[in-house]
Amino acid sequence: NAGVTQTPKFRVLKTGQSMTLLCAQDMNHEYMYWYRQDPGMGLRLIHYSVGEGTTAKGEVPDGYNVSRLKKQNFLLGLESAAPSQTSVYFCASSNGLAGRGETQYFGPGTRLLVL
Amino acid sequence: AQSVTQLGSHVSVSEGALVLLRCNYSSSVPPYLFWYVQYPNQGLQLLLKYTTGATLVKGINGFEAEFKKSETSFHLTKPSAHMSDAAEYFCAVSEFGNQFYFGTGTSLTVIP
């Protein structure tokens, strides 16, 4: 039982390049989330999904797209990377609605540097 | 929207001393409250949470927190700090939705 895994662990991009971050969970959770963590700002929700085939915007969705084609996977895409997207990205999943008190399980994070 | 305030971005305590990490939130209704811990180069893991019921919540590793509605606070405490408690601690709030609001975090240093 690996929990929540994220690929890659670290990536360097040039401005304007695109990439996809992969999140996978083996806990059969319905809900999945993408956060970014920046110094002094805590974690901010980018997008989330309440089930396979669904996605919704969080607090800071601009510049990102997501897809949930399979229940166990949640992809975060950057179509045209900008230096402002340099951050640590965390994926999380939960069995029930996080907003109703369900525990979120986090992956180890992906460090992204955009030059 | 919710806001979460964690007083003190850095807290240092001596080993064996009381740990007190402060969290205040803004909400017009009773929220769900969480404390997460992040060890270096790792993801976050749940320490404890308040949903309903008893306002004093016990978590893992000897931590506990008390929900005080009148003070809109959810401070985290541990009677005796251990070296392994050195980490970043995040308070989080949710209010009947999928939106989660994290505080900016408090880095705890434990001095031998």
Coordinates of all heavy atoms in Angstrom, one line a residue, chain A residues 31-67:
Chain A
Y31 N -12.0 11.5 -3.7 CA -11.7 12.9 -3.8 C -10.1 13.0 -3.9 O -9.4 12.4 -3.2 CB -12.1 13.7 -2.6 CG -13.6 13.5 -2.4 CD1 -14.2 12.5 -1.7 CD2 -14.5 14.5 -2.9 CE1 -15.5 12.4 -1.5 CE2 -15.8 14.4 -2.8 CZ -16.4 13.3 -2.1 OH -17.7 13.2 -1.9
M32 N -9.7 13.9 -4.9 CA -8.3 14.2 -5.0 C -8.1 15.7 -5.2 O -9.0 16.4 -5.7 CB -7.7 13.4 -6.2 CG -7.8 11.9 -6.0 SD -7.0 10.9 -7.3 CE -5.2 11.2 -6.8
Y33 N -6.9 16.2 -4.8 CA -6.7 17.6 -4.7 C -5.2 17.9 -5.2 O -4.3 17.1 -5.0 CB -6.8 18.1 -3.3 CG -8.0 17.6 -2.5 CD1 -8.0 16.3 -1.9 CD2 -9.1 18.4 -2.4 CE1 -9.1 15.9 -1.3 CE2 -10.3 17.9 -1.7 CZ -10.2 16.7 -1.2 OH -11.3 16.2 -0.5
W34 N -5.0 19.1 -5.8 CA -3.7 19.6 -6.0 C -3.5 20.9 -5.3 O -4.4 21.8 -5.4 CB -3.5 19.8 -7.5 CG -3.1 18.6 -8.3 CD1 -3.8 17.9 -9.2 CD2 -1.8 18.0 -8.2 NE1 -3.0 16.8 -9.7 CE2 -1.8 16.9 -9.1 CE3 -0.6 18.3 -7.6 CZ2 -0.7 16.1 -9.3 CZ3 0.5 17.5 -7.8 CH2 0.5 16.4 -8.6
Y35 N -2.4 21.0 -4.6 CA -2.1 22.2 -3.8 C -0.7 22.7 -4.3 O 0.1 21.9 -4.8 CB -1.9 21.9 -2.3 CG -3.2 21.6 -1.6 CD1 -3.7 20.3 -1.5 CD2 -4.0 22.6 -1.0 CE1 -4.8 20.0 -0.8 CE2 -5.2 22.3 -0.3 CZ -5.6 21.0 -0.2 OH -6.7 20.7 0.5
R36 N -0.5 24.0 -4.1 CA 0.9 24.5 -4.2 C 1.3 25.1 -2.9 O 0.5 25.7 -2.2 CB 1.1 25.5 -5.4 CG 0.2 26.7 -5.3 CD 0.5 27.7 -6.5 NE 1.8 28.3 -6.3 CZ 2.4 29.0 -7.3 NH1 1.7 29.2 -8.4 NH2 3.6 29.6 -7.1
Q37 N 2.6 24.9 -2.6 CA 3.1 25.4 -1.3 C 4.2 26.4 -1.6 O 5.2 26.1 -2.2 CB 3.7 24.3 -0.4 CG 4.1 24.8 0.9 CD 4.7 23.7 1.8 OE1 5.2 22.7 1.3 NE2 4.6 23.8 3.1
D38 N 4.0 27.6 -1.2 CA 5.0 28.7 -1.4 C 5.5 29.2 0.0 O 4.7 29.3 0.9 CB 4.4 29.8 -2.2 CG 4.0 29.3 -3.6 OD1 4.9 28.9 -4.4 OD2 2.8 29.3 -3.9
P39 N 6.7 29.7 0.1 CA 7.2 30.2 1.4 C 6.3 31.3 2.0 O 6.0 32.2 1.2 CB 8.6 30.7 1.0 CG 9.0 29.9 -0.2 CD 7.7 29.7 -1.0
G40 N 6.0 31.1 3.2 CA 5.2 32.2 3.9 C 3.7 32.2 3.5 O 3.0 33.1 4.0
M41 N 3.3 31.3 2.7 CA 1.9 31.3 2.2 C 1.1 30.1 2.5 O 0.0 29.9 2.1 CB 1.8 31.6 0.7 CG 2.5 33.0 0.3 SD 2.2 33.4 -1.3 CE 0.4 33.9 -1.2
G42 N 1.7 29.1 3.1 CA 1.0 27.9 3.4 C 0.7 27.1 2.1 O 1.3 27.3 1.1
L43 N -0.3 26.3 2.1 CA -0.8 25.6 1.0 C -2.0 26.2 0.4 O -2.9 26.6 1.2 CB -1.1 24.1 1.3 CG 0.1 23.1 1.4 CD1 0.8 23.3 2.7 CD2 -0.4 21.7 1.3
R44 N -2.1 26.3 -0.9 CA -3.3 26.8 -1.6 C -3.8 25.8 -2.6 O -3.1 25.2 -3.3 CB -2.9 28.2 -2.3 CG -2.6 29.3 -1.3 CD -2.2 30.6 -2.0 NE -1.0 30.4 -2.7 CZ -0.5 31.3 -3.6 NH1 -1.3 32.4 -3.9 NH2 0.6 31.1 -4.2
L45 N -5.1 25.7 -2.6 CA -5.8 24.7 -3.4 C -5.8 25.2 -4.9 O -6.3 26.2 -5.2 CB -7.2 24.4 -2.9 CG -8.0 23.3 -3.6 CD1 -7.3 22.0 -3.5 CD2 -9.4 23.3 -3.1
I46 N -5.3 24.3 -5.8 CA -5.3 24.7 -7.2 C -6.6 24.2 -7.9 O -7.4 24.9 -8.4 CB -4.1 24.1 -7.9 CG1 -2.8 24.6 -7.2 CG2 -4.1 24.6 -9.4 CD1 -1.6 23.9 -7.7
H47 N -6.7 22.9 -7.9 CA -7.9 22.2 -8.5 C -8.2 21.0 -7.6 O -7.3 20.5 -6.9 CB -7.7 21.7 -9.9 CG -7.7 22.8 -10.9 ND1 -8.8 23.3 -11.4 CD2 -6.6 23.4 -11.6 CE1 -8.5 24.3 -12.4 NE2 -7.2 24.3 -12.5
Y48 N -9.4 20.5 -7.7 CA -9.8 19.3 -7.0 C -10.7 18.4 -7.9 O -11.3 18.9 -8.9 CB -10.3 19.5 -5.6 CG -11.6 20.3 -5.6 CD1 -12.8 19.6 -5.5 CD2 -11.6 21.7 -5.6 CE1 -14.0 20.4 -5.4 CE2 -12.8 22.4 -5.6 CZ -14.0 21.7 -5.5 OH -15.2 22.5 -5.5
S49 N -11.0 17.2 -7.4 CA -11.9 16.3 -8.1 C -12.7 15.5 -7.1 O -12.2 15.0 -6.1 CB -11.1 15.3 -9.0 OG -11.9 14.3 -9.5
V50 N -14.0 15.5 -7.4 CA -14.9 14.7 -6.5 C -15.2 13.3 -7.0 O -16.1 12.6 -6.4 CB -16.2 15.5 -6.2 CG1 -15.8 16.9 -5.5 CG2 -17.0 15.7 -7.4
G51 N -14.5 12.9 -8.1 CA -14.8 11.6 -8.6 C -14.2 11.5 -10.0 O -13.9 12.5 -10.6
E52 N -14.1 10.3 -10.5 CA -13.6 10.0 -11.8 C -14.4 10.8 -12.8 O -15.6 10.9 -12.8 CB -13.7 8.5 -12.2 CG -13.2 8.1 -13.5 CD -13.3 6.6 -13.7 OE1 -13.1 5.9 -12.7 OE2 -13.6 6.2 -14.8
G53 N -13.6 11.5 -13.7 CA -14.3 12.3 -14.8 C -14.7 13.7 -14.3 O -15.3 14.5 -15.2
T54 N -14.5 14.1 -13.1 CA -14.9 15.4 -12.6 C -13.7 16.2 -12.2 O -12.7 15.7 -11.7 CB -15.9 15.3 -11.4 OG1 -15.1 14.9 -10.3 CG2 -17.0 14.3 -11.7
T55 N -13.8 17.5 -12.4 CA -12.7 18.4 -11.9 C -13.4 19.8 -11.5 O -14.5 20.1 -12.0 CB -11.6 18.7 -12.9 OG1 -12.2 19.4 -14.0 CG2 -10.9 17.5 -13.3
A56 N -12.8 20.5 -10.6 CA -13.3 21.8 -10.2 C -12.2 22.7 -9.8 O -11.1 22.2 -9.4 CB -14.3 21.6 -9.0
K57 N -12.4 24.0 -9.9 CA -11.4 25.0 -9.6 C -11.3 25.2 -8.1 O -12.3 25.3 -7.4 CB -11.7 26.3 -10.3 CG -11.6 26.2 -11.8 CD -11.9 27.6 -12.4 CE -11.8 27.5 -13.9 NZ -12.1 28.8 -14.6
G58 N -10.0 25.4 -7.6 CA -9.8 25.8 -6.2 C -9.5 27.3 -6.1 O -10.1 28.1 -6.9
E59 N -8.7 27.6 -5.2 CA -8.4 29.0 -4.9 C -7.5 29.7 -5.9 O -7.6 30.9 -6.2 CB -7.7 29.1 -3.5 CG -7.4 30.4 -3.0 CD -6.6 30.4 -1.7 OE1 -6.4 29.3 -1.1 OE2 -6.3 31.5 -1.1
V60 N -6.5 28.9 -6.5 CA -5.6 29.5 -7.5 C -5.4 28.7 -8.7 O -4.4 28.1 -9.0 CB -4.2 29.7 -6.8 CG1 -4.2 30.8 -5.8 CG2 -3.7 28.4 -6.1
P61 N -6.5 28.6 -9.6 CA -6.5 27.7 -10.7 C -5.8 28.2 -12.0 O -5.5 27.4 -12.9 CB -8.0 27.5 -11.0 CG -8.6 28.8 -10.6 CD -7.8 29.3 -9.4
D62 N -5.6 29.5 -12.1 CA -5.1 30.1 -13.3 C -3.7 29.6 -13.7 O -2.8 29.5 -12.9 CB -5.1 31.6 -13.2 CG -6.4 32.2 -13.1 OD1 -7.4 31.5 -13.4 OD2 -6.6 33.4 -12.6
G63 N -3.6 29.2 -15.0 CA -2.3 28.7 -15.5 C -2.2 27.1 -15.4 O -1.2 26.6 -15.8
Y64 N -3.2 26.5 -14.8 CA -3.2 25.1 -14.6 C -4.4 24.4 -15.2 O -5.5 25.0 -15.2 CB -3.1 24.7 -13.1 CG -2.0 25.3 -12.4 CD1 -2.2 26.5 -11.7 CD2 -0.7 24.8 -12.3 CE1 -1.2 27.1 -11.0 CE2 0.3 25.3 -11.6 CZ 0.1 26.5 -10.9 OH 1.1 27.1 -10.2
N65 N -4.2 23.1 -15.7 CA -5.4 22.3 -16.0 C -5.2 21.0 -15.4 O -4.1 20.6 -15.0 CB -5.5 22.2 -17.5 CG -4.3 21.7 -18.2 OD1 -4.0 20.5 -18.1 ND2 -3.5 22.5 -18.8
V66 N -6.3 20.3 -15.2 CA -6.3 19.0 -14.5 C -7.2 18.0 -15.3 O -8.1 18.4 -16.0 CB -6.8 19.0 -13.1 CG1 -5.7 19.7 -12.2 CG2 -8.1 19.7 -13.0
S67 N -6.9 16.7 -15.1 CA -7.8 15.7 -15.6 C -7.8 14.5 -14.7 O -6.8 14.2 -14.0 CB -7.3 15.2 -17.0 OG -6.0 14.6 -16.9

